Amino acid sequence: MRTIGERSGWTEAIARLDRGWVQVKVPLPFSLRWVNSYIVPEADGFTVIDPGLGTAEAKALWEDVLAGLGIEWKAIKRVLLTHQHPDHYGLAGYVQQKSGCEVWMSRRAHAYARRLWGPGSDFPSALRELYLEHGMPGEVMDSIEANLDSFIARVLPEPQVTYMEAGETIRLGDLNWEMIDAPGHAFGQLCFYQRDIRWMICGDQVLPRITPNVSVVPGEEKDPLAAFLNSLETLKAYEVDYALPGHRDPFEAFRTRIDELIRHHDRRLKEMEELLAQEPQTAFDLCEKLFGARLRENPHNLRFAMSETLAHLYYLEQRGRVRAVRASGSAVVFLADAANGRGNPEA
Ligand SMILES: [Zn+2]
């Protein structure tokens, strides 16, 4: 048995929100620092949204928070997952094991989680093939693969899942919430909107101060950035007074933040077009130019950076703003046609 004194850290990890909701900042062993979980009081117990990544630190925090708030494990009746990324989904099976609760997520998000971490996953080899094709050196890919492997233990046990889908309504905290398809950051992600109090639970689709990662993922849709930008336009139509994000703190200026994110991608696309107009190059070279070669020391962030670079390049390619030259036996090189006019005075 631990004493009260040992439980002292948990109060800094929580924030009490309106309606009796509690934000729990569940620790992450990477630059994001924490993922937000939300404890929602229900007539028969509690719902937990996105319980976090399955690390010893996260499990210890949950013990402290639940004990501190006087909530027994078995009072957790349901886990809702906004999406399948390991920092949100990882602890779902563990919480289910401890509480016997249901775990709800979208069918598509679940299929992705199973593909990534289920037995016989083809994901690491498909990712290797994609990255090598786009100029990443093999030894850099080795460190990314080792980092990917390290996540498997942090998403087990696998939860038994009940499906919920965009377009349906779900009862949460004694109110009805609309579920909205929010693709691009994670296909299958759901946002939850409550029309009377104008709250939006936005997963990682709209984050304050952080630009949500938009990645090309082998086996998923080819143009995730277009899907992401379209989704932001859809979300902008909602009247939101209070947004509850997956990282950082709840915020109010929802539409302003969406506009900033759209502008960020617009700038990034133009920047990449200009770099390619100066010099044709592979996605990996461009990634290092944009994010810095030091990322090789951080395979987790490098994977995000590489897949994000590819997402922008695919977007530009789909719209004829860049071309990809694919020669057998060598890495794909991207070039901007504008270079012909700008870079070569004889053209
Ligand atoms: Zn995510």
Side-chain angles (χ1 to χ4, degrees), residues 83-88 185-186 189 203-204 247:
H83 66 297
Q84 65 273 27
H85 286 160
D87 49 336
H88 301 253
H185 170 77
Q189 180 174 235
D204 284 355
H247 303 276

Side-chain angles (χ1 to χ4, degrees), residues 9-254:
W10 71 274
T11 48
E12 280 111 70
I14 68 153
R16 290 174 196 275
L17 312 179
D18 286 352
R19 308 190 64 83
W21 289 35
V22 176
Q23 173 194 5
V24 185
K25 299 174 181 186
V26 184
L28 293 174
F30 33 81
S31 357
L32 282 172
R33 287 175 39 228
W34 83 77
V35 61
N36 286 325
S37 183
Y38 297 99
I39 302 174
V40 182
E42 306 283 3
D44 61 346
F46 296 89
T47 294
V48 168
I49 299 170
D50 291 351
L53 184 68
T55 64
E57 294 75 24
K59 289 172 187 171
L61 179 72
W62 273 112
E63 291 294 346
D64 291 352
V65 165
L66 294 180
L69 296 174
I71 299 173
E72 287 183 49
W73 279 106
K74 65 175 191 303
I76 298 174
K77 300 298 181 194
R78 183 173 56 175
V79 164
L80 283 192
L81 298 172
T82 58
H83 66 297
Q84 65 273 27
H85 286 160
D87 49 336
H88 301 253
Y89 157 95
L91 270 175
Y94 176 80
V95 173
Q96 186 172 58
Q97 209 171 53
K98 299 282 279 185
S99 64
C101 72
E102 293 178 344
V103 172
W104 289 65
M105 71 193 298
S106 79
R107 189 179 291 273
R108 186 163 181 187
H110 187 224
Y112 178 94
R114 299 229 57 207
R115 185 171 157 241
L116 235 63
W117 303 299
S121 169
D122 67 343
F123 183 76
S125 60
L127 194 69
R128 171 176 287 271
E129 198 182 313
L130 176 72
Y131 283 3
L132 296 189
E133 185 194 358
H134 285 287
M136 183 178 281
E139 70 276 10
V140 178
M141 185 59 217
D142 291 343
S143 65
I144 287 183
E145 216 168 310
N147 176 262
L148 267 181
D149 282 349
S150 74
F151 277 92
I152 296 172
R154 300 169 182 170
V155 297
L156 294 177
E158 252 190 83
Q160 289 291 324
V161 168
T162 308
Y163 293 125
M164 59 184 174
E165 302 299 342
E168 296 171 359
T169 298
I170 195 166
R171 195 83 187 153
L172 173 67
D174 212 25
L175 293 168
N176 289 328
W177 298 69
E178 298 161 34
M179 289 187 274
I180 306 160
D181 184 34
H185 170 77
F187 287 95
Q189 180 174 235
L190 296 170
C191 291
F192 300 79
Y193 179 64
Q194 214 299 322
R195 206 163 276 279
D196 301 322
I197 58 171
R198 313 213 310 189
W199 283 23
M200 179 76 84
I201 300 162
C202 35
D204 284 355
Q205 198 72 345
V206 184
L207 298 173
R209 298 163 58 132
I210 301 169
T211 310
N213 175 254
V214 178
S215 275
V216 168
V217 176
E220 289 286 336
E221 282 173 33
K222 268 287 208 175
D223 196 351
L225 183 57
F228 182 73
L229 293 172
N230 286 337
S231 162
L232 290 185
E233 294 294 345
T234 302
L235 290 174
K236 238 175 102 168
Y238 288 83
E239 300 284 345
V240 174
D241 290 341
Y242 193 58
L244 297 102
H247 303 276
R248 301 294 178 122
D249 288 309
F251 62 104
E252 286 161 14
F254 186 67

